[in-house]
Amino acid sequence: MAIRELPHYVSARPDYHHVDASEMARKYAEGKVPALIALDTETCYDPALKAPEAICKWINGGRNNRPFGLSAYWAGEGYWVTGDLRALRPMLADTAIMKIFHNSQYDVLMLLNLGIEVADPIMDTMCMIKLIDEEFECKLPGPDGKPKRDEHGKLVLKKSAALKNLAYHFLGADAHDLEDLVDECRAVIASNTGRPKAEVGYAEVPFHIMKDYAIADTEYTYRLFHLFSPMMDEQALWPPYQDSINAMRAVVEMERTGVPVDLALMAEDEKKLNALLEAELAAMVAAAGPFNPGSGPELVEAFGRLGVAWQWFTESGDFATDKATLALLPAEVQPFVKHLLRWRKAGKLLSTYIHGVRDYVQEDGRVHASFYLWPDDRDRGSAKTGRMSSSNCNMQNITNAEVVFEEDGEEDISIAPRRYFVPPVDHIILEMDYSQQEYRMLAHYGNDEAFMDLVHRGYDVHQGTASIIFDVPYEEVTKPQRQIAKTTNFSLVYGSSNLAFANSLRRANKQPGIDEAACRAGTQPLYKLTAAYNVPPYKCAKCEAAPQGDNDTCRRCKQRFIDMVQTDEAKAGLELFLSLDVQESVAHAAAVKKQYFARFPGIQNFIKQCGDVAAKRGYVRYWNGRRRHFKRPKEQSYQAPNSLIQGGAGEIMKKKLYVVNKFLLDGGYRARPCNSVHDAIYFLIPDDERSVVPQLKAIMDDLPFRVPITVDVKWSAKSWADEEEWEG
C-alpha cells in the first residue's frame, strides 16, 4: 500500500498562539484573561474514559468523549490550549467571565467528562442565530472564493447555523479552507492506516494545522457574537435566549443520566426476529427461487418468475414495491406478498429498535441520547418551531405499540420496543405528560368561552368538541364523532385546506384517500386565473350558486374550468378535483369547518388574526418572547396558528425541564430527568424518593395561561412499556 503524504501547510496567523493549560491558568490568576472570551473544545475518543463518568457523543459516526484541546479567543489574540485542561477549572467556573460558544451544549458536556464545570454566564452564537431567524440562509463560497451563484446569476443560499457558513456570510471569512484541510488530513491518515475515516480523530491531525483550525473557530464565534448581540436587542430576544440556555443545562443533565437498557431481553427478541427473517426468506425462496428481497430489481424478477409482469413505478422511474402497490397484485401471489411484508416488518424492527438502540448502549448499560435544542454544527436536529428532537438513539421514535406476528398453530411473536428501557434496581421510571397540551393552548389563545369551558370542566377536548358540534350529551359521543372532532381540531390548527381537511375526514371514516398532489396540480394553475371561491364546491362562476350534486349546469362548468388550464397534468388534476366523489368530500369538509367555527367563534377569530399578523409583519411571537419567522409571509401565514401553539408548547417543555431539574439538584435529590418525548418528561426516581412526585407535578402544572395545562403522571418499576397511572 502506497503511503500518501499529508498536505503541506504553513501558518500565516501570527496572532494564533499555543499555550499549555497551566500557562493559561497562570494568565487567569494574574488577571490577564478578560471578562469576555470565546471558547471551543476539540474532542476525541479516549477508551480510558468510560460511562457513567464520561458520556460518548457521536460525530459523523465516530465516538467522542474527551476534549484534547481547547481554543480561546479575545481582543485579536487566539490561543490553542493543550495539556491537562483541568487546570482551567477556576477560569471556567468564574461567573465574572462571559464564555461564548457555538453550540455550548456539546462543549459543556465534553468538559464535564473531565470534571470541569462551565459556570454562567454563557453566550451561544448558534442559539442566538436560531432565535434571530430560525431559517437563516447563508451565502456559500464559490470556486473563486466569491459568493456562489447559479446559472442565472442568482445567489445560492443554504439554510444553515453551521459556524463555517455563518462566518463566510457575515464576516466574509472563508473558513471552509481550514475545514477542508483537516478533512483531507483525516482522509490521508485513514488511507495510510487502513481505517475508515470516521475512526480517525481530530487529535491525529498535525498539530500546527489543528491549532489554526481550532482557534479560527473561536475567532469567528467571538466576532459573530458582537454582530448578533444588537440583533438580539432589536428583537427583545434575551428572555427566550435565557430559557434556552437554562434548558441546555437540564438537557446536559438528562443526557448524562441516560436510560438503562435490558440487553438480555433485546437479545431474546433479536433471536426471535432473526429466526422469523430466515423462515420468511426460506418461504419466498421456495416459491420464487433465490433472490434478495431488499433489492427492488431482484424482487421484481422474483415476481416475474411467479407470473407477474411488473407495471408499477415511482415518479423517478424506479420499481414501486410499497405495501399499497403490493396490494394490487393478483390474489394468487398474495401469500408470497404476506411473507415479504412479514420479512420487511421483522427487518425494520431489528434494525430500528434493536441494532439502532444497542449500538448506542454505553459501558454503564444505558443509552445517552443526544437531545437537540437547536441544530448541531452539521445542521441536524431541532424543529423550526423550537421543539426538541433526539438522535443516537432517537428516543422520540421508539414506538409505544406492541408489534405482533400472528403464527398459524404456533405461539405468536410479539415485540414491544419500549420494554427494553427499564429503571435501575430500586428505582421507578416516571412519566409526566402534558395532556392534550396543544389543544389547551388553542383554548388559551382562542379565548373562546365554550372551548375553554371544555378544559375547565376536565373534559377530553376532542370528546367535548364533538359534544358541541354534534349537539349531543358528552357521555353519548360516539367514537366516530370523537374522531371527526379530533380531526377537525387538528386540521384547523395546522392550517389545512378544505381539500386536505376532506382527506383527513375520509381517513377518519376509513374511506380511501384523495390524491391531493394530483388535485393541486390542477387547482394551483386554475386559482391563478380565477379565485378559489368561484370554483366548486363553493360556487360556480356561471351558476352563481353553490352546486347541488352533479347537475347539468355544473357538468358544463366543470369542463369550462378544465379548458382554462393548459397542461395535460393540470387537466387531469382538475378532472379528479371536480369529480363528484371529491366535490362531495370537500363540500362536507367546508360544512364541518363552518359548523365548528359557528360553535367556536373565538377559535376562528384567533386563526384569522394570527394569520393576518404573520402576513403583515412576517412573524408571530410566542408567550415567552420567542419569534417564529416566515420567509414568504403571505404564502405561509396559514402556518402561523400551529407555529404559535406548537412552538409555545415546546417553550413550556424547555422551561419546565430546567425548573424541575434545578429543583431536584437544589433539593439534594438523586432523582433526575432521563428522557423527553414530545410533551412528556421522564424521570428515574429512587424508591425512597417517591414522595417528591407530587412536588414535581405541582411545578409542571404551574403555568400562566387562561386554562389549566396539566400533566398526566404514569410510572413503572418494570419498563417504559409497562407504565400505569400514578395513584400516589
Side-chain angles (χ1 to χ4, degrees):
M1 179 179 66
I3 300 298
R4 296 168 56 189
E5 290 188 6
L6 289 166
H8 178 69
Y9 175 74
V10 177
S11 175
R13 305 183 187 230
D15 52 343
Y16 286 7
H17 315 286
H18 168 244
V19 296
D20 186 79
S22 58
E23 184 180 346
M24 180 60 75
R26 281 196 299 273
K27 279 180 176 289
Y28 166 73
E30 294 167 1
K32 296 179 180 178
V33 175
L36 182 67
I37 59 175
L39 299 164
D40 183 37
T41 60
E42 299 297 337
T43 60
C44 63
Y45 176 63
D46 183 350
L49 295 178
K50 300 182 182 298
E53 287 77 17
I55 305 305
C56 282
K57 292 296 172 185
W58 279 258
I59 298 178
N60 284 353
R63 290 191 293 178
N64 291 261
N65 66 0
R66 177 177 70 84
F68 64 87
L70 178 142
S71 54
Y73 187 90
W74 64 79
E77 296 291 324
Y79 300 90
W80 174 229
V81 186
T82 58
D84 188 351
L85 298 181
R86 290 172 294 184
L88 302 178
R89 277 176 180 155
M91 183 181 85
L92 295 176
D94 191 338
T95 56
I97 295 178
M98 183 175 286
K99 304 98 181 163
I100 314 169
F101 294 91
H102 191 77
N103 195 15
S104 57
Q105 182 177 328
Y106 182 82
D107 298 291
V108 166
L109 189 145
M110 287 291 111
L111 288 165
L112 278 173
N113 282 351
L114 296 182
I116 302 172
E117 293 192 22
V118 182
D120 286 331
I122 286 178
M123 292 290 116
D124 191 313
T125 49
M126 178 176 282
C127 178
M128 292 167 76
I129 191 61
K130 295 307 290 185
L131 289 171
I132 292 166
D133 184 349
E134 66 280 5
E135 295 187 79
F136 185 79
E137 295 178 323
C138 295
K139 293 181 290 190
L140 300 174
D144 58 356
K146 296 180 180 179
K148 190 175 182 180
R149 296 180 180 274
D150 63 19
E151 64 271 19
H152 304 295
K154 185 179 179 181
L155 276 176
V156 174
L157 301 175
K158 177 185 179 182
K159 187 178 76 173
S160 178
L163 179 61
K164 308 297 191 295
N165 293 335
L166 292 171
Y168 181 78
H169 183 94
F170 284 102
L171 307 173
D174 190 355
H176 298 83
D177 54 354
L178 280 169
E179 184 173 44
D180 293 343
L181 184 64
V182 169
D183 198 56
E184 184 182 352
C185 288
R186 293 175 60 226
V188 170
I189 295 169
S191 174
N192 291 343
T193 58
R195 290 180 290 161
K197 194 173 89 172
E199 293 183 8
V200 178
Y202 278 40
E204 299 179 61
V205 173
F207 181 87
H208 66 296
I209 295 176
M210 199 66 226
K211 172 178 71 71
D212 283 8
Y213 169 84
I215 296 175
D217 278 359
T218 41
E219 178 181 353
Y220 300 140
T221 301
Y222 186 84
R223 293 170 63 188
L224 287 172
F225 168 74
H226 287 87
L227 287 174
F228 292 167
S229 290
M231 301 180 193
M232 296 283 289
D233 292 335
E234 182 183 351
Q235 295 189 34
L237 291 172
W238 292 114
Y241 171 83
Q242 193 56 54
D243 285 346
S244 293
I245 291 300
N246 288 343
M248 178 274 291
R249 295 284 194 185
V251 167
V252 166
E253 189 76 37
M254 185 167 69
E255 290 179 340
R256 288 179 65 81
T257 299
V259 186
V261 177
D262 187 338
L263 292 172
L265 176 59
M266 190 176 279
E268 291 177 13
D269 284 352
E270 181 179 29
K271 186 176 180 180
K272 292 178 187 176
L273 290 172
N274 277 325
L276 185 61
L277 280 170
E278 292 176 5
E280 300 301 335
L281 179 60
M284 289 187 286
V285 168
F291 75 105
N292 175 11
S295 164
E298 289 191 38
L299 178 60
V300 167
E301 287 181 9
F303 275 115
R305 292 192 290 272
L306 295 174
V308 177
W310 210 258
Q311 52 184 309
W312 300 276
F313 300 88
T314 66
E315 291 183 3
S316 59
D318 297 326
F319 295 114
T321 61
D322 56 283
K323 186 175 181 180
T325 301
L326 295 174
L328 302 175
L329 300 185
E332 53 267 26
V333 297
Q334 286 303 318
F336 182 90
V337 169
K338 181 179 178 182
H339 290 302
L340 175 63
L341 293 177
R342 284 164 59 86
W343 181 87
R344 285 179 175 177
K345 186 197 292 189
K348 183 178 180 180
L349 288 170
L350 195 62
S351 64
T352 304
Y353 302 119
I354 294 182
H355 299 158
V357 171
R358 189 176 56 201
D359 290 348
Y360 297 106
V361 176
Q362 299 193 29
E363 293 85 356
D364 58 351
R366 303 185 181 198
V367 291
H368 299 267
S370 296
F371 290 89
Y372 299 106
L373 287 160
W374 48 78
D376 66 5
D377 281 324
R378 288 155 184 83
D379 297 309
R380 296 170 303 190
S382 183
K384 295 175 186 177
T385 55
R387 302 198 92 169
M388 281 197 299
S389 60
S390 72
S391 69
N392 302 331
C393 60
N394 185 353
M395 297 299 290
Q396 299 185 3
N397 195 40
I398 307 297
T399 179
N400 61 358
E402 184 174 17
V403 184
V404 178
F405 293 85
E406 296 181 357
E407 296 291 327
D408 296 333
E410 298 181 17
E411 183 180 354
D412 292 347
I413 297 174
S414 64
I415 304 295
R418 288 195 175 186
R419 201 165 289 154
Y420 304 143
F421 300 91
V422 297
V425 175
D426 300 327
H427 282 65
I428 62 169
I429 188 167
L430 185 88
E431 175 186 356
M432 290 196 165
D433 183 15
Y434 280 111
S435 174
Q436 298 182 331
Q437 181 184 27
E438 293 182 10
Y439 301 105
R440 291 169 183 261
M441 292 202 72
L442 174 62
H444 165 77
Y445 282 117
N447 198 17
D448 183 277
E449 290 186 9
F451 204 93
M452 288 193 294
D453 184 59
L454 298 177
V455 179
H456 283 299
R457 294 169 68 177
Y459 282 177
D460 173 277
V461 171
H462 306 309
Q463 187 172 340
T465 300
S467 172
I468 290 176
I469 65 175
F470 291 111
D471 197 21
V472 296
Y474 179 83
E475 297 77 12
E476 296 178 17
V477 170
T478 64
K479 285 186 177 180
Q481 287 173 329
R482 183 187 182 278
Q483 185 60 43
I484 289 172
K486 181 178 180 180
T487 301
T488 305
N489 283 329
F490 180 87
S491 296
L492 297 187
V493 172
Y494 277 74
S496 296
S497 65
N498 281 337
L499 175 62
F501 182 31
N503 218 359
S504 297
L505 289 174
R506 288 171 69 109
R507 293 195 185 101
N509 291 320
K510 302 191 182 321
Q511 295 176 290
I514 300 168
D515 189 338
E516 292 181 48
C519 288
R520 289 196 183 98
T523 57
Q524 285 177 350
L526 179 64
Y527 292 159
K528 293 179 181 179
L529 302 172
T530 185
Y533 56 75
N534 283 329
V535 179
Y538 316 111
K539 75 173 182 181
C540 297
K542 189 168 184 177
C543 300
E544 291 298 329
Q548 301 295 318
D550 195 19
N551 57 51
D552 291 340
T553 305
C554 290
R555 269 201 292 269
R556 289 195 298 272
C557 288
K558 172 181 173 181
Q559 189 58 52
R560 184 171 61 81
F561 286 126
I562 292 173
D563 290 341
M564 289 174 67
V565 298
Q566 301 299 315
T567 67
D568 290 343
E569 182 184 24
K571 291 180 184 296
L574 281 179
E575 184 76 41
L576 174 60
F577 178 72
L578 296 171
S579 66
L580 180 61
D581 180 40
V582 173
Q583 287 290 292
E584 286 181 342
S585 292
V586 175
H588 173 62
V592 171
K593 183 184 289 189
K594 183 177 180 180
Q595 183 182 15
Y596 180 93
F597 285 144
R599 303 308 297 268
F600 301 121
I603 303 297
Q604 183 177 25
N605 290 336
F606 159 67
I607 291 173
K608 183 181 184 306
Q609 290 174 7
C610 190
D612 289 346
V613 167
K616 182 178 180 179
R617 71 185 186 189
Y619 67 89
V620 290
R621 186 186 290 274
Y622 300 170
W623 62 273
N624 70 336
R626 184 184 177 118
R627 295 185 181 191
R628 167 73 169 99
H629 301 84
F630 302 98
K631 297 294 183 186
R632 303 182 306 281
K634 290 185 178 179
E635 297 175 38
Q636 295 177 296
S637 60
Y638 74 92
Q639 300 173 7
N642 172 59
S643 297
L644 194 64
I645 290 170
Q646 190 181 102
E651 295 303 299
I652 289 174
M653 290 298 294
K654 284 189 273 193
K655 183 175 279 286
K656 289 303 180 181
L657 182 58
Y658 165 71
V659 174
V660 293
N661 186 65
K662 186 175 187 303
F663 169 79
L664 293 172
L665 290 171
D666 291 350
Y669 293 99
R670 304 190 312 281
R672 290 289 181 273
C674 64
N675 185 22
S676 177
V677 177
H678 304 308
D679 298 329
I681 299 174
Y682 296 84
F683 300 82
L684 296 180
I685 311 279
D687 285 340
D688 58 2
E689 291 184 1
R690 292 194 190 192
S691 60
V692 78
V693 175
Q695 298 173 75
L696 293 177
K697 177 170 170 48
I699 292 171
M700 296 283 284
D701 286 346
D702 183 17
L703 287 165
F705 296 102
R706 293 188 182 99
V707 296
I709 300 179
T710 57
V711 291
D712 291 336
V713 184
K714 297 180 181 179
W715 73 286
S716 174
K718 297 178 182 177
S719 78
W720 188 9
D722 296 299
E723 291 179 329
E724 57 188 69
E725 296 295 329
W726 176 264
E727 302 291 345

